[in-house]
C-alpha cells in the first residue's frame, strides 16, 4: 500500500472516533438543558442527517461491501439517532402534564 493511500485509510478508520468526539458536546448540551431550551434544536435537520447516514449504510452493505465504510456510516447514524431521541425526550418533558399530588386520606 502506498504511503498516501495508507494515510487516507488510517484517517478514514479514525473518522468514527473523531466524529463521535464531535457529537458529544451537542449531546451533553441536550442532557444539561432545561426541556424548554431544546426547542431551538432542529429535529428536521437531524432527521435529514440520520437519513443520509442510513442511506450510506445501505449503500455500503448493498453496493460496496466495505466494512470500514459501513462502520463509519453506522457510527454517524447512531449519534444522529441518539441526539434525535434525547431531544424528543426533553421536548416531551415540557408538554407532559404534571402529576397531581395525592392527598393522604384523613380519617
Amino acid at each position: 500500500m502506498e504511503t498516501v493511500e495508507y494515510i487516507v485509510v488510517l484517517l478514514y478508520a479514525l473518522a468514527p472516533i473523531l466524529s463521535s468526539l464531535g457529537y458529544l458536546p451537542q449531546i451533553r448540551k441536550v442532557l444539561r438543558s432545561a426541556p424548554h431550551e431544546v426547542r431551538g434544536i432542529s429535529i428536521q435537520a437531524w432527521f435529514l442527517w440520520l437519513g443520509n447516514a442510513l442511506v450510506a449504510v445501505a449503500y455500503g452493505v448493498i453496493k460496496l461491501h466495505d466494512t470500514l465504510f459501513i462502520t463509519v456510516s453506522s457510527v454517524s447514524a447512531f449519534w444522529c439517532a441518539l441526539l434525535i431521541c434525547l431531544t424528543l425526550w426533553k421536548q416531551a418533558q415540557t408538554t407532559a402534564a404534571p402529576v397531581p399530588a395525592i392527598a393522604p386520606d384523613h380519617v
Side-chain angles (χ1 to χ4, degrees), residues 8-77:
V8 169
V9 170
L10 179 63
L11 290 173
Y12 192 69
L14 292 174
I17 296 166
L18 297 175
S19 68
S20 294
L21 293 174
Y23 285 102
L24 292 177
Q26 185 70 45
I27 290 170
R28 184 174 37 247
K29 182 177 180 180
V30 169
L31 289 172
R32 291 182 177 173
S33 295
H36 68 277
E37 293 175 329
V38 296
R39 292 262 178 228
I41 294 175
S42 175
I43 291 296
Q44 293 84 0
W46 284 102
F47 270 114
L48 182 67
W49 294 323
L50 174 60
N52 183 51
L54 292 174
V55 168
V57 171
Y59 186 77
V61 170
I62 295 167
K63 185 72 175 164
L64 298 179
H65 310 286
D66 184 335
T67 305
L68 183 56
F69 182 85
I70 294 166
T71 301
V72 170
S73 300
S74 296
V75 168
S76 180

